[in-house]
Amino acid sequence: QVQLVESGGGLVQAGGSLRLSCEASGNTFITFAMAWLRRAPGKEREFVAAISRNDESTYYAYSVEGRFTISRTNTKNTVELQISSLNPDDTAVYFCAAAWATLSEVLTTSTRYHYWGLGTQVTVSS
């Protein structure tokens, strides 16, 4: 069992940036592939970015590629999402998720993820 707690959300103007962080409990963080997903008001949950256990492989949704960067620090049990060039369409609750995976595996299907945080709200004003 692992608990995930997101932070770093807030209100930002279009064009601005935020850095979201997710901290995992326990000492098994290295066994998990990690991801960020988001749910905008009235929309389905959207996969945003994913990263492998060994930090060597990443994946980005087309809508965020080039603007968002996922990273992890295994010694600190954290995964972060740097989000830049924000626009109102990025307004959503952002969730981090964890999944058991092989060392270099990047999981891009939300159903593969076993553990979820409660989310952090990002609101982008125009």
Side-chain angles (χ1 to χ4, degrees):
Q1 189 79 8
V2 64
Q3 293 184 328
L4 304 174
V5 179
E6 302 95 336
S7 62
L11 174 64
V12 63
Q13 289 187 331
S17 301
L18 285 172
R19 190 171 186 87
L20 308 183
S21 183
C22 172
E23 184 172 358
S25 64
N27 56 4
T28 59
F29 184 72
I30 187 61
T31 66
F32 294 109
M34 301 297 296
W36 286 93
L37 299 91
R38 67 185 182 185
R39 178 180 283 124
K43 296 185 178 180
E44 296 290 322
R45 186 173 58 195
E46 177 187 16
F47 204 99
V48 174
I51 190 167
S52 62
R53 288 170 51 190
N54 61 6
D55 198 13
E56 291 184 357
S57 300
T58 57
Y59 164 86
Y60 296 96
Y62 177 79
S63 59
V64 306
E65 194 162 15
R67 300 189 298 122
F68 290 16
T69 303
I70 189 171
S71 61
R72 66 187 292 163
T73 305
N74 289 335
T75 55
K76 296 183 178 180
N77 286 8
T78 58
V79 60
E80 296 187 324
L81 187 70
Q82 177 69 41
I83 54 180
S84 305
S85 301
L86 286 162
N87 60 68
D89 289 339
D90 295 314
T91 295
V93 178
Y94 285 71
F95 302 89
C96 73
W100 293 301
T102 60
L103 193 61
S104 60
E105 191 175 13
V106 175
L107 303 179
T108 60
T109 305
S110 61
T111 54
R112 294 288 304 276
Y113 285 83
H114 311 96
Y115 301 106
W116 296 79
L118 296 180
T120 185
Q121 175 72 47
V122 172
T123 303
V124 184
S125 63
S126 57

